[in-house]
């Protein structure tokens, strides 16, 4: 029956072994205003065979058949045609049987000796509508359960920072993660931060190409692989080589790739080592001013497997400072009413206007400002990882930090 049709044509299956009762049902249906196609079988076995090759909207089921008596027939029809409404046909002395059939899942019951055309017409229409409503409700409930299960699964896959291995952490991590997909918890972006036993703090942020479940799954795979490799002692070029091997093995399409930034903070030496695999530079904040780090660039993972060009950059760190790693979802949106994009320069100017001593507050205000400028015109995954450190673990320095190339960071 076409959904929403003003004059639907009902496909009705009558399961009745008494030829006289079957003739009456035919006559009653003929006197209704229903548009219908009627099939008739005398046994449950014949009806089930019919249902294997033909869908019906409504089954009129006698409870006394040669091969089925009572509610067993209701269960058998429901199993054979779960989408069909079931109306049980009972005798005068079987009113309780009709009520029991409703409890077993039938949509209605009719007493044979009291059937008349108008009653039969109303019963068929209401039973089919009731079945459709029940199925829609069941599908909705199943969707809610799947959504809750997926949310629990995705929430469990989000990273928990591993900091403070030897006591109070020397670095605090503040992050924000906003998938571009509606009602999703995970996107293709990924981030993580780990402190190893030697006091070094390792961080990663990355972006898998594309959108949807495949990108999200690959992002999770790369994030978990990165953590395992870091804890296993792998660093820099070797770490990126193994990440690329994992990406190539796990990607759903051969054209999928990922960009990422690796950062290792050595606060005892006041340095950070940075590897950029197709990703943009992190931001360094010193004395309240934020600028883009000058760093060498390498190739994205999976773009040209085997090239393995990922040069390191060593950065001098201030005694108190912040490194902010982020994905392009933070700056690719619009910069206002015009067609211009925010871009890295616009993002940097925005950050320097949003001063705050509280990292959480600053990131929330930054995302709110970017979203307001974009006004929903560009949707992408967004990830930010902010690393803050204080003087406790950083040695004294004679002057401002020096970036690669001999320039000053601020």
């Amino acid at each position: 029956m076409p959904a929403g049709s003003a004059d639907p044509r009902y496909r009705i299956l009558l399961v009745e072994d008494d030829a006289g009762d079957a003739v009456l049902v035919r006559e009653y249906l003929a006197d209704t205003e229903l548009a219908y196609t009627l099939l008739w079988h005398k046994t449950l076995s014949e009806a089930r065979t019919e249902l294997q090759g033909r869908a019906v909207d409504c089954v009129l089921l006698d409870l006394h058949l040669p091969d089925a008596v009572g509610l067993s027939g209701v269960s058998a029809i429901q199993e054979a045609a779960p989408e069909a409404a079931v109306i049980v046909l009972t005798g005068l002395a079987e009113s309780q049987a009709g009520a029991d059939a409703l409890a077993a899942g039938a949509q209605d019951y009719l007493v044979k000796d009291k059937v008349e055309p108008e009653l039969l017409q109303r019963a068929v229409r209401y039973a089919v509508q009731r079945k459709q409503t029940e199925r829609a409700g069941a599908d909705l409930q199943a969707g809610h359960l799947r959504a809750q299960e997926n949310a629990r699964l995705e929430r469990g896959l989000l990273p928990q920072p591993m900091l403070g291995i030897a006591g109070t952490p020397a670095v605090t991590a503040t992050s924000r993660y906003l998938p571009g997909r509606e009602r999703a918890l995970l996107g293709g972006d990924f981030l993580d931060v780990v402190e190893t036993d030697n006091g070094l703090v390792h961080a990663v942020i990355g972006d898998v190409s594309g959108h949807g479940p495949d990108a999200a799954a690959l992002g999770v795979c790369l994030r978990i692989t990165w953590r395992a490799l870091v804890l296993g002692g792998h660093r820099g070029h070797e770490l990126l080589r193994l990440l690329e091997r994992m990406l190539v093995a796990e990607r759903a399409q051969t054209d999928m790739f990922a960009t990422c930034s690796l950062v290792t903070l050595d606060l005892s030496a006041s340095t950070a080592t940075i590897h950029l695999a197709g990703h943009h530079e992190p931001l360094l904040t010193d004395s309240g001013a934020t600028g883009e780090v000058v760093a060498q660039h390498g190739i994205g993972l999976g773009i040209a497997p085997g090239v393995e060009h990922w040069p390191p950059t060593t950065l001098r760190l201030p005694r108190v400072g912040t490194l902010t790693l982020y994905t392009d979802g933070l700056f690719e949106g619009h910069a206002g009413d015009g067609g211009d994009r925010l871009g890295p320069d616009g993002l940097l100017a925005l950050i320097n206007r949003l001063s705050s001593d509280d990292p959480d507050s600053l990131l929330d205000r930054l995302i709110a400002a970017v979203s307001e400028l974009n006004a929903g015109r560009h949707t992408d995954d967004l990830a930010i990882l902010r690393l803050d450190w204080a003087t406790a673990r950083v040695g004294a320095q004679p002057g401002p930090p020096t970036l690669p190339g001999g320039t000053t960071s601020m």
Side-chain angles (χ1 to χ4, degrees):
M1 181 179 62
S5 173
D7 186 23
R9 186 172 190 85
Y10 295 92
R11 296 161 296 184
I12 302 173
L13 171 63
L14 173 63
V15 189
E16 170 63 73
D17 65 324
D18 188 299
D21 288 342
V23 170
L24 287 175
V25 170
R26 284 181 183 273
E27 292 179 352
Y28 292 146
L29 282 172
D31 290 337
T32 68
E33 298 176 355
L34 296 175
Y36 67 92
T37 301
L38 180 65
L39 304 169
W40 173 37
H41 287 290
K42 295 183 177 181
T43 66
L44 180 63
S45 176
E46 293 174 357
R48 295 182 67 178
T49 301
E50 179 74 47
L51 291 171
Q52 289 178 0
R54 191 194 303 259
V56 301
D57 301 305
C58 183
V59 178
L60 302 175
L61 176 66
D62 182 23
L63 286 183
H64 297 280
L65 299 170
D67 55 349
V69 178
L71 300 181
S72 61
V74 176
S75 300
I77 292 296
Q78 288 177 323
E79 180 181 349
E83 74 287 349
V86 178
I87 299 176
V88 166
L89 303 176
T90 70
L92 279 172
E94 297 179 313
S95 58
Q96 184 58 45
D100 291 342
L102 293 180
Q107 277 62 55
D108 205 346
Y109 73 93
L110 296 172
V111 178
K112 291 182 180 180
D113 293 343
K114 294 186 176 183
V115 174
E116 47 88 22
E118 184 178 352
L119 178 61
L120 180 58
Q121 174 177 304
R122 186 167 60 249
V124 169
R125 282 179 171 169
Y126 288 176
V128 171
Q129 291 174 1
R130 191 175 300 121
K131 183 65 176 181
Q132 291 174 343
T133 301
E134 290 174 1
R135 288 183 59 81
D139 290 343
L140 182 61
Q141 178 64 17
H144 283 318
L145 292 175
R146 284 194 298 270
Q148 291 174 0
E149 182 177 344
N150 289 339
R152 287 194 297 270
L153 175 61
E154 291 188 355
R155 194 174 296 112
L157 292 174
L158 291 172
Q160 297 295 325
M162 292 180 60
L163 296 172
I165 300 300
T168 303
V171 173
T172 59
T174 309
S175 65
R176 293 295 184 270
Y177 191 97
L178 300 175
R181 290 186 297 144
E182 187 176 359
R183 293 189 296 275
L185 293 178
L186 286 175
D189 291 359
F190 57 96
L191 59 88
D192 204 351
V193 57
V194 168
E195 181 178 349
T196 47
D197 292 339
N198 56 4
L200 299 181
V201 175
H202 309 270
V204 64
I205 196 163
D207 183 359
V208 176
S209 62
H211 301 87
D214 288 340
L218 188 56
V220 170
C221 176
L222 292 175
R223 201 267 308 167
I224 294 174
T225 300
W226 174 86
R227 176 174 285 203
L229 291 173
V230 167
L231 293 176
H234 296 278
R235 303 287 183 265
H237 186 282
E238 176 65 9
L239 174 55
L240 288 166
R241 186 182 70 83
L242 294 174
L243 279 177
E244 184 171 64
R245 287 185 59 185
M246 181 62 72
L247 180 148
V248 170
E250 294 293 331
R251 60 187 175 185
Q253 294 91 33
T254 56
D255 59 348
M256 293 183 73
F257 65 93
T259 66
C260 69
S261 295
L262 305 186
V263 174
T264 296
L265 299 181
D266 185 350
L267 297 186
S268 63
S270 303
T271 61
T273 303
I274 301 171
H275 289 81
L276 302 179
H279 210 75
H280 43 264
E281 300 88 340
L283 305 178
L284 177 64
T285 303
D286 180 17
S287 302
T290 300
E292 195 172 68
V293 169
V294 178
Q296 299 185 72
H297 285 260
I299 191 169
L301 304 181
I303 293 178
V307 173
E308 300 182 5
H309 176 68
W310 303 299
T313 295
T314 300
L315 171 69
R316 292 282 305 279
L317 297 177
R319 292 174 57 84
V320 179
T322 299
L323 267 178
T324 303
L325 293 75
Y326 59 98
T327 58
D328 55 15
L330 191 61
F331 65 76
E332 284 191 338
H334 292 265
D337 295 334
D340 294 338
R341 301 286 179 156
L342 182 62
D345 291 340
L347 175 64
L348 194 58
L350 187 59
I351 291 174
N352 279 309
R353 290 199 302 267
L354 297 173
S355 60
S356 175
D357 293 332
D358 177 43
D360 281 296
S361 174
L362 178 60
L363 293 189
D364 288 338
R365 292 170 59 198
L366 176 61
I367 293 174
V370 169
S371 299
E372 182 178 357
L373 289 171
N374 184 47
R377 288 172 290 171
H378 175 77
T379 302
D380 196 4
D381 301 331
L382 184 157
I384 311 174
L385 176 59
R386 172 178 165 139
L387 304 174
D388 289 87
W389 61 90
T391 58
R393 295 281 298 277
V394 182
Q397 298 183 66
T402 301
L403 302 182
T407 60
T408 301
S409 64
M410 300 297 164

